[in-house]
Each structure stands twice: as structure tokens, then as C-alpha cells.
Amino acid sequence: MNQFDQLHRYLFTDASVRGELVRLQDTLKPIVHSTDYPLAIQQLLAEMAAAASLLTATLKFEGEVGLQIQSQGKVRYAVVNATHEQTLRGVARWDEEADLSTASFADLVANAVLVITITPTEGERYQGVVALDKGSLAGCIEDYFERSEQLATRVFIHTDLADKNAPKVAGMFLQVVPTSSEATNVTADSEFEHLCTLTETMTPEELFALPAQDVLHRLYHEQTVEVYAPEAVTFACTCSRERSAEALRNIDKAELLAIIKEEGSINMNCQYCHTEYCFDEIDVEALKSGYNSAPEASQ
């Protein structure tokens, strides 16, 4: 049985602490290899993918979580979006003139911020911003929860990108579940630190090699843990011919026809999955008259 591309949620019933484990491989490949990214950018996107999956699992409603790094440094921007159905997509842009062969996380995101956007299917969008100044993406996300929700949180992320055909990332997440009792919260904080110490003993090699059940048993066999059914994690893009056509509707018809006359067609390429949507003169006439032509796309 494939141990990757699954999210496992669990609850320490005697400690008021919740946990998550995610490991990605097939889902990760189209994200880190959609473009000829340097290894440092692949690692950043892999860590963001694991983090986005972990954060989405904390949602109590249908919606989407977006992690976006905004920077004027070596990474121009990087973004990973995840839905409550555990679908992921991501893309990055970087300074292609820069030497990233020895770039650390701090080198990539100097003077950068992480924007975390939570978009419910119904309701208002929430956005939080945190400086990327903790030495690791995991540390910055922990800082986000401490500042925005005052919840003790630990994030552990490991990558293995040595095999281009099977890139891997694993993430673990621990967080105190808030309660109404101050005494209970104090106990949970103490148990939380103990659980963090236990989790730190898991090596990356073990985390990638062992079945999820064995990982949880090895770490927490002395705890009372309620483990929920695993959720599949997949790569999925939200692009479509209809969305591309909607963007063209906002452009003057004469300008669109001029592009077609010069280029032969209007070709719109999705930056996430690289699907290409082509529009000709007939398509433009149909768009401007309010009619959508039949779908046409190519990879």
C-alpha cells in the first residue's frame, strides 16, 4: 500500500493536543518539477506544500488555504494553494541570475513575508502576514499561530529530493487544543512539550520509510491516541477554458483581434499546470457575443 500522498489526523485524548502527519510524493512531483527549478526552490515549494496540507486540515469549514511568499530577494514569489479536499498546486518565480547552489532558507527569503490567506467557500476571507525571519518555514508558521491565535504549535518538515522521479516531503503538526479550563490548559501545555520532545526523536529516514501507523506507534505508544481515517492528497489545478475566456472578456475586442492577426491565435498558459488554452477569431466573436465555444486545451 502506498504510504505517501495521505494526510493522517490524530488526537491525544488525555492531553488536549491534536496532531497531523502528511507525506507527499506523486502530489509533489508536478509542483516541484513543473518548471526547471533550482534545487533550493524545489525544497522551498516542497516544504510549502506539506505546510499547506497541514494547515488546511485544521479548517473547520469548506474552503482554501493559500501560502504565499512575497519577496524582492532571490525568490520573487512562491505560492501553494490547498483546498479542504486536500488538493494542492503551487508555483514559484526566482532571480534566475542568482546562484542558488548553496542558498539557505534565510538566503532565499531575505526581507520577505509569508502571507497566509484563508478563503471559506462561504464567508469572509482572512489574511495574516508574518515575517520570514525564523530560519525555517516551520518556525515561521509556528510564529504565525503564536501571534494570530495564541496557540502553542510545532511543525516538523523534512524533504528528500534526491530522486527526481520520486521527490518526497513529510510534515508533522502538533497543536494545543484550547479549552475553557485554565487548569486543563496548563496540563495540556506540559503534555504538549512532552509530545514535541517525543516527535523530535523521529529521524527523516524513519519518517519516509515506515508506514504511518508504525510512525505513530513508535512515537506515541505510551499515549492514548485517537487516529482518524487517512485522507488522500492530490495535485489539482483550478484552471479552465472558461476562466481563461472570462479574463479575455475584459479586454477590448479590437485588441484581441489584433493579437490574433499577428500571432495566429491567443494562447493562454496556466502557470501551475502549464495547460494551454487557445482562442481564435471565432472564439473572440463568440466571447464578445456572450457565447462560450467548446473546450480546447493542450498540455
Side-chain angles (χ1 to χ4, degrees):
M1 177 180 178
N2 180 23
Q3 296 297 324
F4 288 86
D5 303 298
Q6 291 184 339
L7 173 86
H8 302 264
R9 295 187 301 114
Y10 44 97
L11 179 68
F12 299 92
T13 55
D14 295 336
S16 295
V17 175
R18 61 184 173 186
E20 299 167 15
L21 165 64
V22 67
R23 296 185 293 188
L24 307 176
Q25 182 173 293
D26 292 343
T27 302
L28 185 63
K29 189 174 179 179
I31 296 176
V32 300
H33 293 321
S34 64
T35 299
D36 189 19
Y37 293 122
L39 185 59
I41 302 297
Q42 293 180 32
Q43 180 164 335
L44 180 63
L45 281 171
E47 291 182 3
M48 292 177 68
S53 176
L54 294 171
L55 294 189
T56 305
T58 69
L59 295 179
K60 297 179 175 63
F61 49 80
E62 294 184 358
E64 180 178 287
V65 170
L67 301 185
Q68 184 178 55
I69 292 176
Q70 299 177 354
S71 170
Q72 297 300 317
K74 294 180 180 180
V75 175
R76 302 306 189 196
Y77 77 90
V79 59
V80 171
N81 295 319
T83 70
H84 69 279
E85 297 178 320
Q86 286 298 323
T87 63
L88 302 177
R89 63 175 187 161
V91 69
R93 295 290 180 265
W94 75 101
D95 180 0
E96 298 187 27
E97 301 297 322
D99 179 9
L100 303 183
S101 59
T102 60
S104 66
F105 176 78
D107 294 331
L108 293 176
V109 299
N111 301 315
V113 296
L114 174 66
V115 181
I116 300 178
T117 304
I118 299 174
T119 307
T121 302
E122 298 181 3
E124 297 184 2
R125 185 175 70 169
Y126 169 79
Q127 195 169 75
V129 180
V130 62
L132 289 170
D133 58 0
K134 300 301 178 185
S136 69
L137 180 66
C140 295
I141 291 174
E142 291 167 3
D143 185 52
Y144 163 78
F145 277 104
E146 181 66 31
R147 292 173 180 270
S148 67
E149 300 187 32
Q150 291 78 52
L151 289 176
T153 304
R154 284 295 304 275
V155 179
F156 307 83
I157 302 177
H158 301 286
T159 60
D160 180 358
L161 305 178
D163 184 350
K164 186 175 181 179
N165 294 318
K168 304 178 185 69
V169 64
M172 297 190 74
F173 176 96
L174 294 174
Q175 187 175 72
V176 170
V177 178
T179 66
S180 58
S181 168
E182 183 176 345
T184 302
N185 281 329
V186 171
T187 302
D189 289 341
S190 176
E191 290 288 344
F192 176 76
E193 293 302 327
H194 176 59
L195 293 171
C196 290
T197 300
L198 292 176
T199 306
E200 288 172 346
T201 65
M202 179 62 61
T203 67
E205 293 76 16
E206 291 173 323
L207 192 54
F208 287 123
L210 296 175
Q213 294 80 0
D214 291 355
V215 169
L216 298 181
H217 176 74
R218 179 168 296 191
L219 290 174
Y220 312 124
H221 59 276
E222 295 183 352
Q223 318 298 317
T224 304
V225 186
E226 181 179 358
V227 181
Y228 302 97
E231 300 175 56
V233 187
T234 59
F235 174 86
C237 192
T238 58
C239 73
S240 67
R241 182 175 176 83
E242 289 71 23
R243 289 192 173 193
S244 298
E246 192 61 35
L248 295 180
R249 284 196 177 94
N250 299 320
I251 302 175
D252 184 74
K253 177 180 177 180
E255 183 178 347
L256 295 176
L257 294 176
I259 295 173
I260 292 172
K261 183 176 181 181
E262 180 177 349
E263 304 290 339
S265 64
I266 296 173
N267 302 319
M268 302 180 70
N269 188 283
C270 174
Q271 63 178 339
Y272 290 94
C273 67
H274 298 291
T275 298
E276 188 172 77
Y277 300 96
C278 301
F279 298 85
D280 58 18
E281 185 174 347
I282 294 175
D283 294 322
V284 169
E285 294 290 350
L287 286 172
K288 293 301 180 178
S289 66
Y291 170 76
N292 279 330
S293 56
E296 175 189 345
S298 60
Q299 295 285 354

